[in-house]
Amino acid sequence: MKVLVAVKRVVDYNVKVRVKADNSGVDLANVKMSMNPFCEIAVEEAVRLKEKGVASEIVVVTVGPATAQEQLRTALALGADRAVLVESAEELNSLAVAKLLKAVVDKEQPQLVILGKQAIDSDNNQTGQMLAALTGFGQGTFASKVEIAGDKVNVTREIDGGLQTVALNLPAIVTTDLRLNEPRYASLPNIMKAKKKPLETVTPDALGVSTASTNKTLKVEAPAARSAGIKVKSVAELVEKLKNEAKVI
């Protein structure tokens, strides 16, 4: 079976994010970019399915600028077979990305689509659910365990009350949680091999998808700096400050 994995190029999680001086967005100049950590988990799960003999082909796709080829090559080095870049220099919202992924799903006809549950930049946790709605596929979000059983996939989900297992008919959409697996590191030989693996570039226009957004970012601000804490000498003083200064009681 064919597995499609969607990945996203984001600011590396070790980088301290800076806001532009005009508050129009995040400053990406000379900033290290990498694959979204949840997307790494999605790629790893697809590779494990292929190693088990369940998956026959892994196609990795991303939506972003031409420089996002770097993250696709990383996914190819981790074990994906080929890659698709939907090239767009625009800042796209979750719905636009979901529409583009739906077009890729229609073209590739995968039996399983795996995405990270959310990206660490926008933190929206929307694209997988929107893609499921657009395709009409069953969805298993926040997956901590994925098992293929014939023409179904059993997904164990992390929910507020514990764990929930759902059985989905294939084709299906799965979004990955942290505890699903631990991604591997790409070996040097595989990094070299990845340079020769096929990488197709398409545009939103070629897919027949409009990416016009009804949302507009007005302002981006850094979080307010926290003031230093103080020590109090007694419980009475603590209560007094909570009541009269912090005004929380």
PDB file of all heavy atoms in Angstrom, residues 187-226:
ATOM      1  N   SER A 187      21.450   8.224   8.254  1.00  0.00           N
ATOM      2  CA  SER A 187      22.866   7.857   8.113  1.00  0.00           C
ATOM      3  C   SER A 187      23.464   8.585   6.915  1.00  0.00           C
ATOM      4  O   SER A 187      22.748   9.007   6.001  1.00  0.00           O
ATOM      5  CB  SER A 187      23.008   6.350   7.934  1.00  0.00           C
ATOM      6  OG  SER A 187      22.418   5.940   6.713  1.00  0.00           O
ATOM      7  N   LEU A 188      24.773   8.726   6.905  1.00  0.00           N
ATOM      8  CA  LEU A 188      25.455   9.425   5.807  1.00  0.00           C
ATOM      9  C   LEU A 188      25.194   8.752   4.459  1.00  0.00           C
ATOM     10  O   LEU A 188      24.904   9.450   3.475  1.00  0.00           O
ATOM     11  CB  LEU A 188      26.955   9.514   6.094  1.00  0.00           C
ATOM     12  CG  LEU A 188      27.790  10.263   5.034  1.00  0.00           C
ATOM     13  CD1 LEU A 188      27.279  11.689   4.866  1.00  0.00           C
ATOM     14  CD2 LEU A 188      29.267  10.273   5.425  1.00  0.00           C
ATOM     15  N   PRO A 189      25.285   7.399   4.355  1.00  0.00           N
ATOM     16  CA  PRO A 189      24.985   6.769   3.062  1.00  0.00           C
ATOM     17  C   PRO A 189      23.565   7.084   2.575  1.00  0.00           C
ATOM     18  O   PRO A 189      23.357   7.319   1.380  1.00  0.00           O
ATOM     19  CB  PRO A 189      25.162   5.270   3.342  1.00  0.00           C
ATOM     20  CG  PRO A 189      26.097   5.213   4.498  1.00  0.00           C
ATOM     21  CD  PRO A 189      25.756   6.407   5.337  1.00  0.00           C
ATOM     22  N   ASN A 190      22.609   7.102   3.498  1.00  0.00           N
ATOM     23  CA  ASN A 190      21.226   7.391   3.099  1.00  0.00           C
ATOM     24  C   ASN A 190      21.041   8.847   2.700  1.00  0.00           C
ATOM     25  O   ASN A 190      20.212   9.165   1.847  1.00  0.00           O
ATOM     26  CB  ASN A 190      20.264   7.029   4.236  1.00  0.00           C
ATOM     27  CG  ASN A 190      20.086   5.535   4.384  1.00  0.00           C
ATOM     28  OD1 ASN A 190      20.344   4.767   3.462  1.00  0.00           O
ATOM     29  ND2 ASN A 190      19.660   5.108   5.557  1.00  0.00           N
ATOM     30  N   ILE A 191      21.808   9.745   3.333  1.00  0.00           N
ATOM     31  CA  ILE A 191      21.770  11.158   2.944  1.00  0.00           C
ATOM     32  C   ILE A 191      22.277  11.319   1.512  1.00  0.00           C
ATOM     33  O   ILE A 191      21.719  12.087   0.719  1.00  0.00           O
ATOM     34  CB  ILE A 191      22.606  12.006   3.920  1.00  0.00           C
ATOM     35  CG1 ILE A 191      21.934  12.029   5.308  1.00  0.00           C
ATOM     36  CG2 ILE A 191      22.778  13.435   3.393  1.00  0.00           C
ATOM     37  CD1 ILE A 191      22.760  12.705   6.379  1.00  0.00           C
ATOM     38  N   MET A 192      23.321  10.580   1.180  1.00  0.00           N
ATOM     39  CA  MET A 192      23.860  10.633  -0.179  1.00  0.00           C
ATOM     40  C   MET A 192      22.881  10.030  -1.193  1.00  0.00           C
ATOM     41  O   MET A 192      22.679  10.569  -2.283  1.00  0.00           O
ATOM     42  CB  MET A 192      25.198   9.891  -0.241  1.00  0.00           C
ATOM     43  CG  MET A 192      26.265  10.452   0.697  1.00  0.00           C
ATOM     44  SD  MET A 192      26.577  12.216   0.456  1.00  0.00           S
ATOM     45  CE  MET A 192      27.310  12.198  -1.175  1.00  0.00           C
ATOM     46  N   LYS A 193      22.241   8.925  -0.812  1.00  0.00           N
ATOM     47  CA  LYS A 193      21.263   8.281  -1.706  1.00  0.00           C
ATOM     48  C   LYS A 193      20.053   9.179  -1.937  1.00  0.00           C
ATOM     49  O   LYS A 193      19.448   9.173  -3.014  1.00  0.00           O
ATOM     50  CB  LYS A 193      20.812   6.952  -1.113  1.00  0.00           C
ATOM     51  CG  LYS A 193      21.867   5.857  -1.114  1.00  0.00           C
ATOM     52  CD  LYS A 193      21.334   4.606  -0.433  1.00  0.00           C
ATOM     53  CE  LYS A 193      22.409   3.528  -0.329  1.00  0.00           C
ATOM     54  NZ  LYS A 193      21.917   2.325   0.407  1.00  0.00           N
ATOM     55  N   ALA A 194      19.687   9.954  -0.905  1.00  0.00           N
ATOM     56  CA  ALA A 194      18.509  10.807  -1.002  1.00  0.00           C
ATOM     57  C   ALA A 194      18.646  11.864  -2.094  1.00  0.00           C
ATOM     58  O   ALA A 194      17.647  12.329  -2.654  1.00  0.00           O
ATOM     59  CB  ALA A 194      18.247  11.481   0.346  1.00  0.00           C
ATOM     60  N   LYS A 195      19.878  12.247  -2.397  1.00  0.00           N
ATOM     61  CA  LYS A 195      20.111  13.263  -3.422  1.00  0.00           C
ATOM     62  C   LYS A 195      19.686  12.785  -4.802  1.00  0.00           C
ATOM     63  O   LYS A 195      19.419  13.598  -5.696  1.00  0.00           O
ATOM     64  CB  LYS A 195      21.583  13.666  -3.437  1.00  0.00           C
ATOM     65  CG  LYS A 195      22.050  14.356  -2.160  1.00  0.00           C
ATOM     66  CD  LYS A 195      23.532  14.714  -2.229  1.00  0.00           C
ATOM     67  CE  LYS A 195      23.978  15.417  -0.945  1.00  0.00           C
ATOM     68  NZ  LYS A 195      25.415  15.783  -0.984  1.00  0.00           N
ATOM     69  N   LYS A 196      19.603  11.463  -4.976  1.00  0.00           N
ATOM     70  CA  LYS A 196      19.252  10.899  -6.283  1.00  0.00           C
ATOM     71  C   LYS A 196      17.800  10.452  -6.361  1.00  0.00           C
ATOM     72  O   LYS A 196      17.334  10.035  -7.420  1.00  0.00           O
ATOM     73  CB  LYS A 196      20.171   9.718  -6.600  1.00  0.00           C
ATOM     74  CG  LYS A 196      21.646  10.091  -6.710  1.00  0.00           C
ATOM     75  CD  LYS A 196      22.502   8.891  -7.062  1.00  0.00           C
ATOM     76  CE  LYS A 196      23.976   9.268  -7.186  1.00  0.00           C
ATOM     77  NZ  LYS A 196      24.829   8.093  -7.524  1.00  0.00           N
ATOM     78  N   LYS A 197      17.088  10.518  -5.249  1.00  0.00           N
ATOM     79  CA  LYS A 197      15.690  10.110  -5.259  1.00  0.00           C
ATOM     80  C   LYS A 197      14.835  11.186  -5.928  1.00  0.00           C
ATOM     81  O   LYS A 197      15.147  12.371  -5.849  1.00  0.00           O
ATOM     82  CB  LYS A 197      15.196   9.838  -3.836  1.00  0.00           C
ATOM     83  CG  LYS A 197      15.797   8.588  -3.210  1.00  0.00           C
ATOM     84  CD  LYS A 197      15.198   8.313  -1.833  1.00  0.00           C
ATOM     85  CE  LYS A 197      15.761   7.033  -1.225  1.00  0.00           C
ATOM     86  NZ  LYS A 197      15.185   6.747   0.120  1.00  0.00           N
ATOM     87  N   PRO A 198      13.736  10.788  -6.586  1.00  0.00           N
ATOM     88  CA  PRO A 198      12.927  11.762  -7.338  1.00  0.00           C
ATOM     89  C   PRO A 198      12.211  12.769  -6.433  1.00  0.00           C
ATOM     90  O   PRO A 198      11.655  12.400  -5.390  1.00  0.00           O
ATOM     91  CB  PRO A 198      11.911  10.886  -8.086  1.00  0.00           C
ATOM     92  CG  PRO A 198      11.899   9.578  -7.366  1.00  0.00           C
ATOM     93  CD  PRO A 198      13.264   9.406  -6.778  1.00  0.00           C
ATOM     94  N   LEU A 199      12.256  14.032  -6.854  1.00  0.00           N
ATOM     95  CA  LEU A 199      11.569  15.107  -6.153  1.00  0.00           C
ATOM     96  C   LEU A 199      10.834  15.942  -7.188  1.00  0.00           C
ATOM     97  O   LEU A 199      11.445  16.607  -8.011  1.00  0.00           O
ATOM     98  CB  LEU A 199      12.560  15.960  -5.355  1.00  0.00           C
ATOM     99  CG  LEU A 199      11.977  16.930  -4.309  1.00  0.00           C
ATOM    100  CD1 LEU A 199      13.039  17.301  -3.284  1.00  0.00           C
ATOM    101  CD2 LEU A 199      11.428  18.202  -4.950  1.00  0.00           C
ATOM    102  N   GLU A 200       9.530  15.896  -7.148  1.00  0.00           N
ATOM    103  CA  GLU A 200       8.681  16.602  -8.109  1.00  0.00           C
ATOM    104  C   GLU A 200       8.234  17.938  -7.525  1.00  0.00           C
ATOM    105  O   GLU A 200       7.883  18.019  -6.351  1.00  0.00           O
ATOM    106  CB  GLU A 200       7.449  15.739  -8.441  1.00  0.00           C
ATOM    107  CG  GLU A 200       6.457  16.396  -9.375  1.00  0.00           C
ATOM    108  CD  GLU A 200       5.171  15.596  -9.534  1.00  0.00           C
ATOM    109  OE1 GLU A 200       5.053  14.545  -8.877  1.00  0.00           O
ATOM    110  OE2 GLU A 200       4.294  16.032 -10.299  1.00  0.00           O
ATOM    111  N   THR A 201       8.249  18.970  -8.353  1.00  0.00           N
ATOM    112  CA  THR A 201       7.786  20.286  -7.924  1.00  0.00           C
ATOM    113  C   THR A 201       6.555  20.673  -8.720  1.00  0.00           C
ATOM    114  O   THR A 201       6.554  20.609  -9.952  1.00  0.00           O
ATOM    115  CB  THR A 201       8.878  21.349  -8.125  1.00  0.00           C
ATOM    116  OG1 THR A 201      10.036  20.998  -7.350  1.00  0.00           O
ATOM    117  CG2 THR A 201       8.397  22.714  -7.674  1.00  0.00           C
ATOM    118  N   VAL A 202       5.495  21.050  -8.005  1.00  0.00           N
ATOM    119  CA  VAL A 202       4.258  21.508  -8.645  1.00  0.00           C
ATOM    120  C   VAL A 202       3.859  22.831  -8.012  1.00  0.00           C
ATOM    121  O   VAL A 202       4.392  23.236  -6.973  1.00  0.00           O
ATOM    122  CB  VAL A 202       3.112  20.475  -8.498  1.00  0.00           C
ATOM    123  CG1 VAL A 202       3.454  19.181  -9.209  1.00  0.00           C
ATOM    124  CG2 VAL A 202       2.803  20.207  -7.032  1.00  0.00           C
ATOM    125  N   THR A 203       2.904  23.505  -8.629  1.00  0.00           N
ATOM    126  CA  THR A 203       2.415  24.778  -8.099  1.00  0.00           C
ATOM    127  C   THR A 203       0.937  24.633  -7.735  1.00  0.00           C
ATOM    128  O   THR A 203       0.247  23.751  -8.253  1.00  0.00           O
ATOM    129  CB  THR A 203       2.569  25.908  -9.127  1.00  0.00           C
ATOM    130  OG1 THR A 203       1.762  25.594 -10.274  1.00  0.00           O
ATOM    131  CG2 THR A 203       4.029  26.064  -9.545  1.00  0.00           C
ATOM    132  N   PRO A 204       0.442  25.502  -6.857  1.00  0.00           N
ATOM    133  CA  PRO A 204      -0.999  25.473  -6.551  1.00  0.00           C
ATOM    134  C   PRO A 204      -1.862  25.621  -7.802  1.00  0.00           C
ATOM    135  O   PRO A 204      -2.912  24.973  -7.920  1.00  0.00           O
ATOM    136  CB  PRO A 204      -1.170  26.654  -5.598  1.00  0.00           C
ATOM    137  CG  PRO A 204       0.156  26.780  -4.916  1.00  0.00           C
ATOM    138  CD  PRO A 204       1.162  26.445  -5.974  1.00  0.00           C
ATOM    139  N   ASP A 205      -1.434  26.462  -8.743  1.00  0.00           N
ATOM    140  CA  ASP A 205      -2.197  26.652  -9.983  1.00  0.00           C
ATOM    141  C   ASP A 205      -2.271  25.353 -10.774  1.00  0.00           C
ATOM    142  O   ASP A 205      -3.312  25.017 -11.347  1.00  0.00           O
ATOM    143  CB  ASP A 205      -1.566  27.756 -10.840  1.00  0.00           C
ATOM    144  CG  ASP A 205      -1.758  29.140 -10.225  1.00  0.00           C
ATOM    145  OD1 ASP A 205      -2.665  29.281  -9.382  1.00  0.00           O
ATOM    146  OD2 ASP A 205      -0.995  30.059 -10.576  1.00  0.00           O
ATOM    147  N   ALA A 206      -1.149  24.609 -10.816  1.00  0.00           N
ATOM    148  CA  ALA A 206      -1.132  23.345 -11.549  1.00  0.00           C
ATOM    149  C   ALA A 206      -2.070  22.325 -10.919  1.00  0.00           C
ATOM    150  O   ALA A 206      -2.626  21.460 -11.611  1.00  0.00           O
ATOM    151  CB  ALA A 206       0.288  22.789 -11.599  1.00  0.00           C
ATOM    152  N   LEU A 207      -2.261  22.443  -9.607  1.00  0.00           N
ATOM    153  CA  LEU A 207      -3.172  21.535  -8.908  1.00  0.00           C
ATOM    154  C   LEU A 207      -4.613  22.043  -8.952  1.00  0.00           C
ATOM    155  O   LEU A 207      -5.530  21.342  -8.483  1.00  0.00           O
ATOM    156  CB  LEU A 207      -2.737  21.380  -7.447  1.00  0.00           C
ATOM    157  CG  LEU A 207      -1.394  20.672  -7.211  1.00  0.00           C
ATOM    158  CD1 LEU A 207      -1.022  20.738  -5.736  1.00  0.00           C
ATOM    159  CD2 LEU A 207      -1.447  19.223  -7.676  1.00  0.00           C
ATOM    160  N   GLY A 208      -4.810  23.248  -9.488  1.00  0.00           N
ATOM    161  CA  GLY A 208      -6.152  23.805  -9.586  1.00  0.00           C
ATOM    162  C   GLY A 208      -6.721  24.257  -8.260  1.00  0.00           C
ATOM    163  O   GLY A 208      -7.934  24.206  -8.040  1.00  0.00           O
ATOM    164  N   VAL A 209      -5.839  24.723  -7.364  1.00  0.00           N
ATOM    165  CA  VAL A 209      -6.263  25.115  -6.018  1.00  0.00           C
ATOM    166  C   VAL A 209      -6.004  26.602  -5.796  1.00  0.00           C
ATOM    167  O   VAL A 209      -4.900  27.088  -6.055  1.00  0.00           O
ATOM    168  CB  VAL A 209      -5.525  24.294  -4.939  1.00  0.00           C
ATOM    169  CG1 VAL A 209      -5.927  24.778  -3.539  1.00  0.00           C
ATOM    170  CG2 VAL A 209      -5.827  22.814  -5.087  1.00  0.00           C
ATOM    171  N   SER A 210      -7.013  27.307  -5.323  1.00  0.00           N
ATOM    172  CA  SER A 210      -6.851  28.715  -4.951  1.00  0.00           C
ATOM    173  C   SER A 210      -6.415  28.789  -3.492  1.00  0.00           C
ATOM    174  O   SER A 210      -7.033  28.169  -2.619  1.00  0.00           O
ATOM    175  CB  SER A 210      -8.163  29.476  -5.143  1.00  0.00           C
ATOM    176  OG  SER A 210      -8.060  30.778  -4.602  1.00  0.00           O
ATOM    177  N   THR A 211      -5.359  29.524  -3.223  1.00  0.00           N
ATOM    178  CA  THR A 211      -4.837  29.641  -1.860  1.00  0.00           C
ATOM    179  C   THR A 211      -5.146  31.000  -1.236  1.00  0.00           C
ATOM    180  O   THR A 211      -4.557  31.383  -0.233  1.00  0.00           O
ATOM    181  CB  THR A 211      -3.315  29.412  -1.848  1.00  0.00           C
ATOM    182  OG1 THR A 211      -2.680  30.359  -2.726  1.00  0.00           O
ATOM    183  CG2 THR A 211      -2.978  28.005  -2.298  1.00  0.00           C
ATOM    184  N   ALA A 212      -6.083  31.736  -1.826  1.00  0.00           N
ATOM    185  CA  ALA A 212      -6.459  33.039  -1.286  1.00  0.00           C
ATOM    186  C   ALA A 212      -7.004  32.872   0.125  1.00  0.00           C
ATOM    187  O   ALA A 212      -7.807  31.983   0.396  1.00  0.00           O
ATOM    188  CB  ALA A 212      -7.500  33.702  -2.176  1.00  0.00           C
ATOM    189  N   SER A 213      -6.542  33.714   1.028  1.00  0.00           N
ATOM    190  CA  SER A 213      -6.922  33.602   2.433  1.00  0.00           C
ATOM    191  C   SER A 213      -7.874  34.713   2.844  1.00  0.00           C
ATOM    192  O   SER A 213      -7.780  35.836   2.349  1.00  0.00           O
ATOM    193  CB  SER A 213      -5.682  33.645   3.332  1.00  0.00           C
ATOM    194  OG  SER A 213      -6.042  33.627   4.695  1.00  0.00           O
ATOM    195  N   THR A 214      -8.796  34.372   3.732  1.00  0.00           N
ATOM    196  CA  THR A 214      -9.700  35.379   4.276  1.00  0.00           C
ATOM    197  C   THR A 214      -9.178  35.915   5.607  1.00  0.00           C
ATOM    198  O   THR A 214      -9.806  36.768   6.221  1.00  0.00           O
ATOM    199  CB  THR A 214     -11.109  34.790   4.491  1.00  0.00           C
ATOM    200  OG1 THR A 214     -10.997  33.634   5.321  1.00  0.00           O
ATOM    201  CG2 THR A 214     -11.745  34.405   3.172  1.00  0.00           C
ATOM    202  N   ASN A 215      -8.027  35.384   6.035  1.00  0.00           N
ATOM    203  CA  ASN A 215      -7.411  35.843   7.284  1.00  0.00           C
ATOM    204  C   ASN A 215      -6.231  36.755   6.984  1.00  0.00           C
ATOM    205  O   ASN A 215      -5.531  36.575   5.979  1.00  0.00           O
ATOM    206  CB  ASN A 215      -6.905  34.658   8.115  1.00  0.00           C
ATOM    207  CG  ASN A 215      -8.028  33.746   8.544  1.00  0.00           C
ATOM    208  OD1 ASN A 215      -9.169  34.177   8.648  1.00  0.00           O
ATOM    209  ND2 ASN A 215      -7.706  32.494   8.802  1.00  0.00           N
ATOM    210  N   LYS A 216      -5.997  37.724   7.864  1.00  0.00           N
ATOM    211  CA  LYS A 216      -4.872  38.638   7.717  1.00  0.00           C
ATOM    212  C   LYS A 216      -4.214  38.827   9.074  1.00  0.00           C
ATOM    213  O   LYS A 216      -4.893  39.098  10.062  1.00  0.00           O
ATOM    214  CB  LYS A 216      -5.344  39.986   7.166  1.00  0.00           C
ATOM    215  CG  LYS A 216      -4.210  40.988   6.947  1.00  0.00           C
ATOM    216  CD  LYS A 216      -4.754  42.297   6.405  1.00  0.00           C
ATOM    217  CE  LYS A 216      -3.621  43.307   6.207  1.00  0.00           C
ATOM    218  NZ  LYS A 216      -4.134  44.611   5.692  1.00  0.00           N
ATOM    219  N   THR A 217      -2.893  38.666   9.104  1.00  0.00           N
ATOM    220  CA  THR A 217      -2.152  38.890  10.350  1.00  0.00           C
ATOM    221  C   THR A 217      -1.953  40.389  10.540  1.00  0.00           C
ATOM    222  O   THR A 217      -1.338  41.051   9.710  1.00  0.00           O
ATOM    223  CB  THR A 217      -0.785  38.181  10.306  1.00  0.00           C
ATOM    224  OG1 THR A 217      -0.989  36.776  10.130  1.00  0.00           O
ATOM    225  CG2 THR A 217      -0.018  38.409  11.595  1.00  0.00           C
ATOM    226  N   LEU A 218      -2.474  40.902  11.615  1.00  0.00           N
ATOM    227  CA  LEU A 218      -2.374  42.335  11.877  1.00  0.00           C
ATOM    228  C   LEU A 218      -1.081  42.696  12.593  1.00  0.00           C
ATOM    229  O   LEU A 218      -0.448  43.704  12.284  1.00  0.00           O
ATOM    230  CB  LEU A 218      -3.565  42.805  12.723  1.00  0.00           C
ATOM    231  CG  LEU A 218      -4.953  42.618  12.096  1.00  0.00           C
ATOM    232  CD1 LEU A 218      -6.033  43.103  13.060  1.00  0.00           C
ATOM    233  CD2 LEU A 218      -5.054  43.350  10.767  1.00  0.00           C
ATOM    234  N   LYS A 219      -0.683  41.852  13.556  1.00  0.00           N
ATOM    235  CA  LYS A 219       0.478  42.198  14.355  1.00  0.00           C
ATOM    236  C   LYS A 219       1.021  40.959  15.044  1.00  0.00           C
ATOM    237  O   LYS A 219       0.261  40.082  15.454  1.00  0.00           O
ATOM    238  CB  LYS A 219       0.085  43.248  15.403  1.00  0.00           C
ATOM    239  CG  LYS A 219       1.235  43.909  16.137  1.00  0.00           C
ATOM    240  CD  LYS A 219       0.705  44.992  17.076  1.00  0.00           C
ATOM    241  CE  LYS A 219       1.825  45.751  17.759  1.00  0.00           C
ATOM    242  NZ  LYS A 219       1.307  46.777  18.697  1.00  0.00           N
ATOM    243  N   VAL A 220       2.331  40.863  15.143  1.00  0.00           N
ATOM    244  CA  VAL A 220       2.993  39.769  15.865  1.00  0.00           C
ATOM    245  C   VAL A 220       3.861  40.388  16.956  1.00  0.00           C
ATOM    246  O   VAL A 220       4.676  41.271  16.674  1.00  0.00           O
ATOM    247  CB  VAL A 220       3.858  38.909  14.927  1.00  0.00           C
ATOM    248  CG1 VAL A 220       4.596  37.833  15.713  1.00  0.00           C
ATOM    249  CG2 VAL A 220       3.009  38.266  13.846  1.00  0.00           C
ATOM    250  N   GLU A 221       3.663  39.944  18.185  1.00  0.00           N
ATOM    251  CA  GLU A 221       4.410  40.494  19.310  1.00  0.00           C
ATOM    252  C   GLU A 221       5.069  39.377  20.109  1.00  0.00           C
ATOM    253  O   GLU A 221       4.519  38.272  20.209  1.00  0.00           O
ATOM    254  CB  GLU A 221       3.493  41.274  20.245  1.00  0.00           C
ATOM    255  CG  GLU A 221       2.920  42.539  19.667  1.00  0.00           C
ATOM    256  CD  GLU A 221       2.008  43.250  20.660  1.00  0.00           C
ATOM    257  OE1 GLU A 221       0.936  42.704  20.975  1.00  0.00           O
ATOM    258  OE2 GLU A 221       2.400  44.340  21.139  1.00  0.00           O
ATOM    259  N   ALA A 222       6.227  39.674  20.676  1.00  0.00           N
ATOM    260  CA  ALA A 222       6.883  38.732  21.577  1.00  0.00           C
ATOM    261  C   ALA A 222       6.136  38.731  22.910  1.00  0.00           C
ATOM    262  O   ALA A 222       5.528  39.737  23.281  1.00  0.00           O
ATOM    263  CB  ALA A 222       8.340  39.130  21.789  1.00  0.00           C
ATOM    264  N   PRO A 223       6.166  37.622  23.634  1.00  0.00           N
ATOM    265  CA  PRO A 223       5.499  37.588  24.947  1.00  0.00           C
ATOM    266  C   PRO A 223       6.103  38.632  25.876  1.00  0.00           C
ATOM    267  O   PRO A 223       7.291  38.937  25.812  1.00  0.00           O
ATOM    268  CB  PRO A 223       5.781  36.166  25.453  1.00  0.00           C
ATOM    269  CG  PRO A 223       6.139  35.376  24.246  1.00  0.00           C
ATOM    270  CD  PRO A 223       6.781  36.316  23.293  1.00  0.00           C
ATOM    271  N   ALA A 224       5.275  39.174  26.746  1.00  0.00           N
ATOM    272  CA  ALA A 224       5.756  40.166  27.703  1.00  0.00           C
ATOM    273  C   ALA A 224       6.759  39.530  28.664  1.00  0.00           C
ATOM    274  O   ALA A 224       6.592  38.376  29.075  1.00  0.00           O
ATOM    275  CB  ALA A 224       4.582  40.735  28.490  1.00  0.00           C
ATOM    276  N   ALA A 225       7.797  40.268  28.983  1.00  0.00           N
ATOM    277  CA  ALA A 225       8.811  39.745  29.908  1.00  0.00           C
ATOM    278  C   ALA A 225       8.218  39.596  31.296  1.00  0.00           C
ATOM    279  O   ALA A 225       7.466  40.467  31.760  1.00  0.00           O
ATOM    280  CB  ALA A 225      10.013  40.688  29.949  1.00  0.00           C
ATOM    281  N   ARG A 226       8.551  38.494  31.957  1.00  0.00           N
ATOM    282  CA  ARG A 226       8.039  38.263  33.304  1.00  0.00           C
ATOM    283  C   ARG A 226       8.869  39.040  34.326  1.00  0.00           C
ATOM    284  O   ARG A 226      10.096  39.088  34.239  1.00  0.00           O
ATOM    285  CB  ARG A 226       8.076  36.771  33.633  1.00  0.00           C
ATOM    286  CG  ARG A 226       7.154  35.932  32.780  1.00  0.00           C
ATOM    287  CD  ARG A 226       7.235  34.459  33.139  1.00  0.00           C
ATOM    288  NE  ARG A 226       6.818  34.217  34.512  1.00  0.00           N
ATOM    289  CZ  ARG A 226       6.802  33.015  35.060  1.00  0.00           C
ATOM    290  NH1 ARG A 226       7.200  31.953  34.365  1.00  0.00           N
ATOM    291  NH2 ARG A 226       6.411  32.852  36.314  1.00  0.00           N
TER     292      ARG A 226
END
